[in-house]
Amino acid sequence: MAWDDLPGDPERERWDRRDEAAAQLRLSRHLQLQLPGLVARRVPVRGITPGPIQGVGRLRMADSTTFLVGGAAPGNLGRVLRALHDKHAVTLSTWEQREDGLLLTLAGVPGREPVRIWLIGPDQPD
């Protein structure tokens, strides 16, 4: 048993929280650098495929950018999938930084309310 593996070590927990917060900040900044280009160039969404865990999908853009996303409301990912199936041009219209993370709004999806999805992080295409 290594000293690092001691359960309940407060110093270790404090270190992990600082590391996690710093990593989340770096990730958020990286994604915020990518998003303006995708909005300005009106890069279309090409597909949504199942993600690595339940409730998470891979949002694939036409320029090979791939994000892990989750619906902000039940059925949002399904609405995007249906719009793509019906040959609608779906694009990223806006994004906003919230306490919970980055919230994306997609344009081109039929319906009363715009589709909003949480950007979980980047992903590499398969």
Side-chain angles (χ1 to χ4, degrees), residues 2-22:
W3 288 104
D4 293 340
D5 297 327
L6 292 175
D9 181 11
E11 191 62 36
R12 172 101 175 152
E13 289 175 19
R14 212 175 7 243
W15 176 258
D16 288 344
R17 275 186 257 134
R18 277 190 233 131
D19 284 351
E20 184 178 342

Side-chain angles (χ1 to χ4, degrees), residues 15-75:
W15 176 258
D16 288 344
R17 275 186 257 134
R18 277 190 233 131
D19 284 351
E20 184 178 342
Q24 287 295 333
L25 182 62
R26 281 193 306 271
L27 175 63
S28 179
R29 285 183 183 159
H30 172 72
L31 293 172
Q32 287 182 18
L33 289 174
Q34 280 186 311
L35 293 173
L38 294 172
V39 171
R41 293 183 290 130
R42 298 176 43 103
V43 177
V45 174
R46 287 294 181 230
I48 293 183
T49 57
I53 58 174
Q54 187 174 1
V56 174
R58 285 186 173 98
L59 184 75
R60 299 180 187 275
M61 307 295 286
D63 68 348
S64 298
T65 303
T66 305
F67 296 115
L68 293 175
V69 296

Side-chain angles (χ1 to χ4, degrees), residues 106-125:
L106 300 178
V109 180
R112 293 176 133 183
E113 298 291 321
V115 170
R116 294 181 177 205
I117 55 177
W118 290 108
L119 179 57
I120 297 169
D123 189 37
Q124 295 182 4

